[in-house]
Amino acid sequence: MQINWRGVYPAISTQFHPDGQINYDSNARMLNQLIEDGIDGIIALGTVGENASLTAQEKREFLRHTVETVAGRIPVIAGCTENTAQAAAAYGRDAEAIGVDGLMLLPAMVYRGTDREVVAHYQYVARSISLPIMIYNNPVGYGIDINLEMTAILAEEPNIVAIKESTTDTRRITELQSRFGDRFTIFCGVDDIALESILLGATGWISGLTNVFPRESVALFHLARLGRLEEARAIYRWFMPLLRLDTIPTLVQCIKLSEQLLQRGSEQVRLPRLPLEGQERAYVEQVVQQALAKRPDLSTYGFGTSGQNQEFWQL
């Protein structure tokens, strides 16, 4: 199965009204702005999208609205976080009917399966749908490492085509490439090892802070891919305090507060999450303020006011 997933893919937030209902108007504004800023695709209903906090009906309605808003301009990959293989397959079939371009599939939630059970989960879902599937490997967050031996079995499923690699160990990228060649499209899934991962051959970056600073994210990715390492390192050093916010338990609140500070969205989250307060809130505000004070001038790198229609940035 052939795909063309590459570049910078924000894991978009799900915007809420103060009463907890989904704010579709705000989500549409956010999506259009991200596309104008030059991002290459999106992950809808990932961790940052508070997938597990939405009802089954809300998830499907959100995907439908997202697909309609994007209108084919970029790929839309739907996060899949379900408690059983049957529920994940049903979600995948509905997502396929809605028109998403792929599924980012997690192991079954709540029950932490054995290696054999996790493989069976992925096999069941893959054989139940036609969509291309991205494995989301996040042992830090979810306690399950889809290791090389498991990946070798899953490589036999033709529609399992990509891996979001979030072990935090950049050696895994090289190990995957050494063993499987170009069988899988590999995305970096950890913001604060993004540059290292790109230099090791990751062809995509799924990011939370890209929601807040999309143009800087796109510039970093393409400068690294073009071998302009001094310039990439300069942006990366500026970016690092922000990127660290994506690696802590309150990452959703940190990202959404940052979106609010830049007037790109609202910090409103759904229970059991609560907005940040006290020292945690002050720290995020400080990091964002410092980043804005030293924000790089991307025009010096040849990057214009819009991320779109810049032939220079084509890979």
Side-chain angles (χ1 to χ4, degrees), residues 2 51 54 65 74 84 89 108 119 127-128 137 147 157 166 168 170 199 230 244 256 269 278 301 307:
Q2 298 298 314
N51 184 311
L54 273 62
H65 177 266
I74 55 171
T84 68
V119 167
R127 295 169 188 177
S128 300
N137 186 34
N147 57 46
E157 304 298 324
S166 300
T168 74
T170 54
L199 295 179
E230 288 298 325
R244 293 284 194 190
K256 295 187 87 168
V269 288
Y301 304 110

Side-chain angles (χ1 to χ4, degrees), residues 59-78:
K59 292 178 188 182
R60 286 144 175 89
E61 291 174 351
F62 185 87
L63 289 181
R64 187 172 293 105
H65 177 266
T66 299
V67 168
E68 291 173 353
T69 301
V70 169
R73 289 175 288 174
I74 55 171
V76 175
I77 301 176

Side-chain angles (χ1 to χ4, degrees), residues 12 27-36 42 66 69-70:
I12 63 170
N27 267 101
R29 286 193 298 272
M30 177 185 66
L31 281 168
N32 286 319
Q33 192 169 8
L34 286 170
I35 293 170
E36 290 170 3
I42 60 163
T66 299
T69 301
V70 169

Side-chain angles (χ1 to χ4, degrees), residues 132-151:
I133 292 174
M134 176 187 296
I135 295 170
Y136 183 6
N137 186 34
N138 187 350
V140 177
Y142 300 111
I144 294 170
D145 182 15
I146 302 171
N147 57 46
L148 295 176
E149 298 307 316
M150 298 163 71
T151 304

Side-chain angles (χ1 to χ4, degrees), residues 197-208:
S197 299
I198 297 164
L199 295 179
L200 287 170
T203 55
W205 174 25
I206 295 171
S207 168

